[in-house]
Amino acid sequence: MMHQGRVAAPRMRRAHAPRAAGVMVAMLLALAADGTAAQEAADDPEGPPPWAYAMAGELLSPFCPGRTLTECPSPQAESLRMWIIVQAAAGRSRQDIEAELYERYGDDIRSTPRTDGIGITAYLLPAFAFFGGGGLLAWFLVMATRRGGGGGGGDGAPPPAPLDAEQERRLDAALRGEDADEAPKDEDRDA
């Protein structure tokens, strides 16, 4: 006796199988075409230099905040990637293309801060914080070890003065839980 759920499932799988196979074939063709086009572009001596493709991965997209031009799925980003490749193929230098892009979109498309002007602080501030913190820690440790050498518990205070006999007797009585006035005197203890 077969359950209806087991019978229905293979029928549904068979119904979707041609569609799934078509999708898989389309994906494989798209991947093969993309790989072939990229290989042809790399082999073409007249085509754009390799840095033109790499530049899209190094610049942030003005259309997708936080993403590079390569990662941005918008049509404007695709258009800008193609513009970079066309300009490089036409013979423009990388510096010229970057300068025009920075002029058009500003410094927001930089993936790393500038190394001049205020942008240099992005590189220097962490170094100063690291070495300054290390220096402060070293100074603190030297000062803490100098104070701790006096034998007074590490707080820099001199050691306490010794107790006289009467103070010792009261302290002993207090530790035993007796009243200090009722505690036996030293002479009574010896007897």
Side-chain angles (χ1 to χ4, degrees):
M1 183 175 198
M2 298 193 83
H3 295 277
Q4 288 180 351
R6 290 187 184 178
V7 174
R11 285 185 194 158
M12 290 187 66
R13 281 189 213 128
R14 276 189 234 128
H16 292 292
R19 189 181 314 164
V23 169
M24 290 295 286
V25 169
M27 286 176 53
L28 288 173
L29 288 175
L31 287 173
D34 186 38
T36 306
Q39 185 63 34
E40 287 173 1
D43 292 341
D44 185 12
E46 299 291 323
W51 59 260
Y53 296 101
M55 182 185 280
E58 297 168 2
L59 295 174
L60 293 178
S61 172
F63 313 108
C64 299
R67 292 182 169 190
T68 62
L69 274 174
T70 304
E71 297 169 342
C72 183
S74 76
Q76 296 93 346
E78 177 64 29
S79 163
L80 189 55
R81 285 191 298 266
M82 288 297 115
W83 180 85
I84 291 171
I85 292 169
V86 167
Q87 294 298 311
R92 288 189 64 188
S93 71
R94 180 182 180 121
Q95 291 78 18
D96 288 346
I97 295 172
E98 284 179 343
E100 185 171 340
L101 289 172
Y102 294 143
E103 184 179 316
R104 189 185 306 173
Y105 298 106
D107 282 342
D108 293 338
I109 63 170
R110 290 184 185 275
S111 59
T112 58
R114 301 177 81 152
T115 56
D116 61 340
I118 194 73
I120 195 75
T121 59
Y123 296 103
L124 295 179
L125 190 61
F128 287 144
F130 178 76
F131 290 116
L136 185 64
L137 179 65
W139 174 80
F140 174 76
L141 291 174
V142 166
M143 296 308 290
T145 56
R146 283 185 184 168
R147 278 189 255 159
D155 60 357
L163 299 175
D164 65 357
E166 179 62 24
Q167 289 175 335
E168 276 190 51
R169 183 187 67 75
R170 287 184 179 175
L171 181 61
D172 287 340
L175 290 174
R176 283 192 306 266
E178 302 172 356
D179 189 13
D181 294 331
E182 296 176 9
K185 300 276 184 193
D186 286 338
E187 302 89 34
D188 294 339
R189 252 190 274 167
D190 292 336

